[in-house]
Amino acid sequence: MSLTKVEQLFNAKLTQLQQQGISKGNEKIITGRRAPTDGFGSRYFLEGCVDQAFLRMNSNSYLGLTGHSGLIKAEAEAAEKFGTGPGAVRFISGTYRPHVELEKKLAEFHGREAAMIMSAAYATMIGVLPQFISDETLIVSDALNHNCIINAIRLSHPVRKEVYAHADVDALERILDANKGQIRRVCVVTDGIFSMRGDHAALDRISACCRRHEAGYDEGIITVVDDSHGVGAFGRTGRGTEEYTGGKADILIATLGKAFGVNGGYVVASSAVIAYLRETAPLYIYSNPITPAEAAAAMAALDIADSPEGMHLLEKLRSLSARLRAGLIRLGFETLPDEHPIVPILIRDTEKTTALVEHLFTHQILATGLNYPVVPKGEQEIRLQVSADHTEKDMDYLLAVLAEFKQ
C-alpha cells in the first residue's frame, strides 16, 4: 500500500489553492502573552517573530475571559478534584457533576427547560440538526449560513432544500407559502450572528413568519438558530440575537468557546427535545464531553456574564466596537452598521485583502482576511474582532495603521 499516487493529487490541490490566493498557509503559533500595560491591552508573541508583540484582532474571546482569574481558578480546582479528562462518553461513565450543573445553568441563562453540552458548537450543529430532518422535511437555510450548517444539511436527508437570499425574510415567506400542503415538516435554520459580517438575523420576523405558516404543515415548522457569535457578546445582557431582536428559536445552539472563553458547544430547548437528542445525536452519544474542569470554568464565565462585571464588559465591548466602526468610516473604509464586535472591512478584492492583512502584520496586528470561496466573490473582507480585553488606545493604534494603507 502506498500514498504516492493520491499525494500527487493532494499536492496539486494545495498548489491550486496557493495560486488562487486562498490557501490558509502555515498556522501562526502563539508562544506567550503580555499583560495590559500603558493603556494598551494584552499583546501576544509568535514563534519566529522575536521580540515582536502583536495586537490580536482575530480572537473570538469577545468578553476577554480567557485569562480571567476566576475562570482559571475554577478550572484548576475542578481539575484537581476530577482529573484532566472525562475518561468516557457521557452514557458510559463520562458524566460528572460539573456537566450536569452547567447544563442546568445554561438552560436557566436562556430561559429554556433543558440544555445539553457537547465537545464544540460545530459538533453540536452536525450532531443535532439531522435529528430534526426526516425524508418528509423541507429544510430552509440562509444563503450566508456557517459551514457547520451547510455540512449538517449535507448529512441530513430532507425531501427538499431551499436557500433564501441573505436576511431576506420575504423570500422565506414565499418559500413557506409555496410548499404548504406538499411537505409534512419544515426546518428553518439560520445563524444568529453571521460570522463573516457581524450582522444579525431578524429572528423576530423569522419567528413571526414561521408562526403564520405553521398550520399549513402537518408536523409544523421548527426553527434552529446557531448564535455562537451572539451569545455572551450581543444583546443588553449578552443573551444574543434572541434578546436583541425579541425573537425566539425552538432550538438554540451556541458555544462556550467564544464570549465565554472556555471550550465546548451546547443546545438548549424543551425537556422533550433534549431527552430525544440524548438518545439520538451521535456526536453526543459517541464522543467524549468537554472536561469537568472546562465545565467548571464555563459556569464561572456564566456567573460573570450575569454580574455587574459582565454588564461592564458588555458596555465596554459596545463602546469599543462603535469607536472602531466610526473610525473606519472616517478613513473611507467600507464596513457594515451593527452593534456586534465583529467589524468587517469590505475590500471586495482578493489581492487588496491579502495586501492589507500583510500591512497589518508588519505593524504587529493580527487580523484575518476572508477571500473566496470562504466568502462570495466581491465580498472579500478583513474581519476585525473587538474584545473587552482591548482598549481605546488599541483601537486608535489600529486606525492609525489602517490610515497608512494605500487603498
Side-chain angles (χ1 to χ4, degrees), residues 34-43 55 316 389-398:
R34 188 178 71 196
T37 183
D38 297 328
F40 291 101
S42 299
R43 291 295 186 271
L55 170 62
K316 181 182 180 185
D389 194 40
H390 292 143
T391 67
E392 290 185 352
K393 290 182 73 172
D394 288 331
M395 297 301 101
D396 293 345
Y397 173 70
L398 170 61

Side-chain angles (χ1 to χ4, degrees), residues 60-83:
N60 297 322
S61 183
Y62 297 118
L63 294 180
L65 295 179
T66 52
H68 193 285
S69 59
L71 273 69
I72 293 171
K73 182 174 183 286
E75 185 160 351
E77 289 178 351
E80 287 285 346
K81 183 174 183 179
F82 297 106

Side-chain angles (χ1 to χ4, degrees), residues 347-358 371 380 405:
I347 307 298
R348 305 190 185 281
D349 179 272
T350 294
E351 291 184 2
K352 286 183 179 180
T353 299
T354 302
L356 181 49
V357 170
E358 292 175 352
N371 287 317
Q380 296 93 326
F405 182 72

Side-chain angles (χ1 to χ4, degrees), residues 294-341:
E294 287 172 324
M299 283 191 284
L302 284 166
D303 287 339
I304 292 169
D306 253 354
S307 72
E309 179 184 1
M311 294 297 290
H312 170 73
L313 292 173
L314 275 168
E315 181 55 40
K316 181 182 180 185
L317 193 60
R318 285 190 284 265
S319 175
L320 291 174
S321 300
R323 188 184 188 93
L324 177 56
R325 278 190 172 87
L328 290 175
I329 294 169
R330 186 173 64 250
L331 293 175
F333 287 99
E334 182 184 0
T335 188
L336 295 174
D338 216 311
E339 294 184 22
H340 193 271

Side-chain angles (χ1 to χ4, degrees), residues 68-128:
H68 193 285
S69 59
L71 273 69
I72 293 171
K73 182 174 183 286
E75 185 160 351
E77 289 178 351
E80 287 285 346
K81 183 174 183 179
F82 297 106
T84 58
V89 298
R90 293 281 297 267
F91 81 95
I92 292 178
S93 63
T95 297
Y96 289 74
R97 176 55 57 184
H99 294 138
V100 177
E101 292 176 350
L102 173 59
E103 287 171 336
K104 180 181 179 182
K105 189 178 285 285
L106 285 167
E108 292 172 350
F109 184 83
H110 290 289
R112 300 310 208 278
E113 291 179 349
M116 185 176 85
I117 55 174
M118 294 177 68
S119 59
Y122 199 109
T124 307
M125 180 59 73
I126 292 289
V128 162

